[in-house]
């Protein structure tokens, strides 16, 4: 089933295209794959990046949109990613980066395309766990900028995932969040006040 990728804001895409066309921005990124690319580098698969700052006993708190991430493709695979962020003047290029999350995101998206149910792909960052997931949202009518994970949405932890959480295994939000909640709940030490 094809994924329903939400359209990125036009200024976000323009800022990434401008950065890709800027020798200074590419050089300052210090990403060898961008420097050595034989084929043209093109931004693809814009994904809204949401941040989940806390998980409550009742479920998920609202997420906040932190930016849009574009996979940068050269040839037949992604070689880097570009991140944009919202500024007081609108969407702006933030930085290029490489590393394990680029290949892991590409792999998770390929896996998601084999699912029978249609989804809207997003990224969900959980800073308190140092965890990034591909969030497969079931409401295709949303624009990608708002919302929170529904109980039936899927979360696919990207590699590297926290210890004990298998990467690239889809989990329903209702199943994974209770496990994660226990990981972020502070443990009281003996003798500490209640």
């Amino acid at each position: 089933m094809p994924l329903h990728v939400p359209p990125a804001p036009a200024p976000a895409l323009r800022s990434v295209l401008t950065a890709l066309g800027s020798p200074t921005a590419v050089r300052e990124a210090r990403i060898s794959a961008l420097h050595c690319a034989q084929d043209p580098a093109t931004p693809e698969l814009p994904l809204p990046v949401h941040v989940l700052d806390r998980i409550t006993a009742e479920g998920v708190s609202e997420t906040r949109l932190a930016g849009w991430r574009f996979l940068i493709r050269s040839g037949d695979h992604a070689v880097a990613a570009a991140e944009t962020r919202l500024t007081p003047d609108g969407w702006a290029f933030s930085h290029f980066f490489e590393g394990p999350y680029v290949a892991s995101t590409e792999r998770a998206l390929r896996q998601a395309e084999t699912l029978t149910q249609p989804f809207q792909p997003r990224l969900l960052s959980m800073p308190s766990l140092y965890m990034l997931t591909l969030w497969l949202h079931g409401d295709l009518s949303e624009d990608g900028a708002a919302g929170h994970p529904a109980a039936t949405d899927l979360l696919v932890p990207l590699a590297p995932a926290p210890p004990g959480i298998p990467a690239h295994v889809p989990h329903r939000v209702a199943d994974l969040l209770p496990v994660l909640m226990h990981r972020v709940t502070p443990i009281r030490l003996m003798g500490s006040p209640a």
Side-chain angles (χ1 to χ4, degrees):
M1 180 68 59
L3 295 174
H4 296 267
V5 179
L13 176 58
R14 277 194 304 272
S15 71
V16 171
L17 289 170
T18 300
L20 279 171
S22 165
T24 303
V26 171
R27 184 174 55 251
E28 288 178 0
R30 295 189 174 96
I31 296 175
S32 60
L34 284 178
H35 295 282
C36 303
Q38 301 274 330
D39 297 313
T42 58
E44 294 183 356
L45 293 168
L47 298 172
V49 180
H50 291 262
V51 176
L52 179 63
D53 290 315
R54 62 188 183 93
I55 304 168
T56 66
E58 298 79 35
V60 178
S61 65
E62 285 292 315
T63 63
R64 62 182 166 84
L65 181 65
W68 283 81
R69 182 172 296 172
F70 297 78
L71 292 181
I72 305 299
R73 183 169 304 283
S74 178
D76 61 352
H77 65 282
V79 296
E83 190 101 4
T84 63
R85 62 184 169 87
L86 190 58
T87 69
D89 295 324
W91 287 100
F93 171 76
S94 175
H95 61 280
F96 291 115
F97 66 94
E98 60 186 344
Y101 284 132
V102 174
S104 187
T105 300
E106 190 173 40
R107 176 181 169 187
L109 287 165
R110 278 195 312 269
Q111 283 179 282
E113 288 176 341
T114 66
L115 299 173
T116 57
Q117 179 182 345
F119 287 104
Q120 182 188 85
R122 304 169 174 198
L123 293 172
L124 182 64
S125 172
M126 298 175 213
S128 60
L129 294 170
Y130 301 101
M131 183 174 179
L132 183 64
T133 67
L134 177 64
W135 168 15
L136 298 172
H137 190 52
D139 186 350
L140 305 179
S141 66
E142 290 187 4
D143 67 0
H148 63 279
T152 56
D153 287 353
L154 297 178
L155 296 177
V156 182
L158 300 181
I165 306 288
H168 298 286
V169 176
H171 301 273
R172 284 188 28 200
V173 167
D175 299 332
L176 184 60
L177 285 185
V179 173
L180 299 178
M181 188 178 76
H182 291 293
R183 288 181 171 233
V184 296
T185 303
I187 300 171
R188 287 201 323 253
L189 299 174
M190 282 185 16
S192 65

